[in-house]
Amino acid sequence: MKFSRKKFLKTAALGGLVPFSSTKLFARQRSANSDRSRKAPLVISTWNFGVEANRAALEELQNGRSSMDAVESGVRIPEADPSNRTVGYGGRPDRDGHVTLDACVMDGDGKCGSVAFLQHIKHPVSVARKVMEETPHVMLVGRGALQFALEQGFKKEELLIDEVRKEWEEWKKDAEYRPIPNIEMHDTIGMLAIDHSGNLSGGCSTSGMAWKMHGRVGDSPLIGSALFVDNEVGAATATGHGEEIIRIAGSHLVVERMRQGDSPVEACREAVRRIVRRHDDPSEIQAGFIALNKHGEAGGYAVRDGFSYAVTGSDGYELIDSDHEI
Ligand code: SD4
């Protein structure tokens, strides 16, 4: 196991939220991922942009809203951000030039909703929530998901922006599908939150692997793979090579390991190790898990370096370079 150093953002632009104080940091140098318990409300999410997403989520929690409201608001931030190449608007298309989106939400009582292979809707996480709240189903895909979204009042939009279209045209010259770890699959948002009442929720949203086959769906809309939440134990979410995460039913595994007594980091490490063990050379793979238990302990673990996650509470935020296996 490799321990990495913590990395912190400058605080200025973050609306009053400051990093956890340096004395607190000093007190927890055991590991970047030490499972220190923090007080609810608390939000944890994947990658560097998780800091901004967490801020929006925390604001909801501080206004007394539920953890589900928080994750929806938080996930919508990268979904609307055109500079994020793996989520929503501005996401990279499949090999035929279509931006197709996957997302899901789940709460601590097992209620969940999901959309997959959804096109033209900027906020799939909100459609997933509508599936959970307004239908007897868990998952809608493709044209049916789009039809449902339009019926619910979502706007049909072009999600492929010019800059990304050019990138796709460039890619087409060789048309080789060899996802570059931490780059062509970087940026899926997975978020977990615990509110004042101790209720957990999670959300996940992605445009999936860049240049994927038309129709390919990854782990991100799959309850149990990219997301699992249980108020009795905790919650987990995933990012990275979706096929790898699906094969081990990753997030469910993480939550079940926590049920058996693992800390969040230990549980995430077990999921990563199951992926690594399946490969002679895992260096081309990236998959990262983050987890939050009901006591407010948070942690993460990844196959290889380059994965980060943000933890945000009322007393500040922390951006952590995840520990990793290889
Ligand atoms: C997928 N897991 O579609 C997603 C991609 C991802 O950061 O996580 N990107 O396989």
Side-chain angles (χ1 to χ4, degrees):
M1 173 173 52
K2 301 208 173 50
F3 289 116
S4 50
R5 280 181 303 129
K6 297 178 227 42
K7 194 170 76 181
F8 302 96
L9 283 189
K10 307 269 180 310
T11 132
L14 290 165
L17 259 192
V18 295
F20 290 121
S21 80
S22 53
T23 24
K24 279 182 194 156
L25 292 171
F26 193 68
R28 50 185 295 270
Q29 279 189 337
R30 176 161 69 88
S31 154
N33 286 338
S34 67
D35 296 291
R36 180 169 68 87
S37 170
R38 299 179 175 91
K39 254 181 77 199
L42 200 64
V43 189
I44 173 171
S45 67
T46 53
W47 303 109
N48 299 10
F49 58 83
V51 172
E52 280 298 327
N54 284 4
R55 185 162 67 94
L58 188 77
E59 212 175 290
E60 296 278 354
L61 295 173
Q62 287 174 329
N63 288 334
R65 312 286 292 275
S66 70
S67 53
M68 179 56 70
D69 290 333
V71 296
E72 182 185 359
S73 294
V75 169
R76 286 173 64 98
I77 300 293
E79 281 184 340
D81 178 359
S83 71
N84 187 314
R85 293 283 174 269
T86 316
V87 186
Y89 180 63
R92 291 195 178 95
D94 63 20
R95 67 186 191 186
D96 298 339
H98 304 285
V99 179
T100 71
L101 306 177
D102 300 334
C104 69
V105 294
M106 184 170 194
D107 75 12
D109 296 326
K111 289 198 290 297
C112 50
S114 157
V115 287
F117 192 51
L118 173 64
Q119 298 182 54
H120 303 301
I121 301 290
K122 195 186 264 179
H123 290 297
V125 73
S126 298
V127 185
R129 184 172 181 181
K130 288 284 184 199
V131 172
M132 174 179 82
E133 289 174 347
E134 307 293 336
T135 81
H137 306 306
V138 166
M139 188 168 191
L140 293 177
V141 308
R143 279 222 314 259
L146 175 61
Q147 185 187 327
F148 171 73
L150 297 175
E151 281 163 13
Q152 291 292 320
F154 290 86
K155 209 168 84 203
K156 192 168 179 177
E157 292 176 70
E158 178 55 75
L159 302 178
L160 183 62
I161 62 174
D162 281 348
E163 211 182 315
V164 178
R165 185 189 299 277
K166 285 187 195 125
E167 209 188 320
W168 168 63
E169 275 157 6
E170 211 34 55
W171 174 82
K172 273 200 300 183
K173 291 181 184 159
D174 294 328
E176 235 192 298
Y177 182 72
R178 288 187 65 243
I180 307 166
N182 295 330
I183 298 180
E184 284 182 358
M185 57 186 189
H186 181 295
D187 280 357
T188 289
I189 176 107
M191 177 180 279
L192 310 170
I194 185 162
D195 60 27
H196 284 289
S197 325
N199 286 316
L200 287 150
S201 291
C204 186
S205 182
T206 192
S207 54
M209 306 289 277
W211 332 130
K212 62 193 175 184
M213 287 176 69
H214 189 57
R216 180 266 189 188
V217 168
D219 60 308
S220 303
L222 299 181
I223 299 298
S225 288
L227 180 66
F228 199 72
V229 185
D230 184 340
N231 269 347
E232 282 182 8
V233 181
T237 186
T239 179
H241 269 108
E243 284 74 5
E244 301 296 334
I245 296 160
I246 292 170
R247 286 185 185 111
I248 62 154
S251 294
H252 183 256
L253 170 64
V254 172
V255 171
E256 293 311 306
R257 289 291 299 207
M258 291 197 292
R259 195 188 306 277
Q260 285 162 26
D262 274 3
S263 71
V265 173
E266 288 164 350
C268 293
R269 187 165 59 214
E270 173 58 21
V272 164
R273 287 184 174 169
R274 293 219 189 160
I275 290 174
V276 168
R277 264 187 248 131
R278 301 171 61 91
H279 295 273
D280 293 334
D281 176 14
S283 65
E284 290 297 299
I285 293 168
Q286 178 61 303
F289 294 90
I290 59 173
L292 172 64
N293 69 18
K294 66 175 181 179
H295 308 297
E297 293 166 344
Y301 204 79
V303 172
R304 45 176 288 168
D305 62 346
F307 174 52
S308 56
Y309 60 95
V311 183
T312 305
S314 298
D315 54 349
Y317 72 89
E318 206 171 346
L319 180 62
I320 298 172
D321 277 340
S322 175
D323 292 341
H324 47 95
E325 187 67 12
I326 60 169

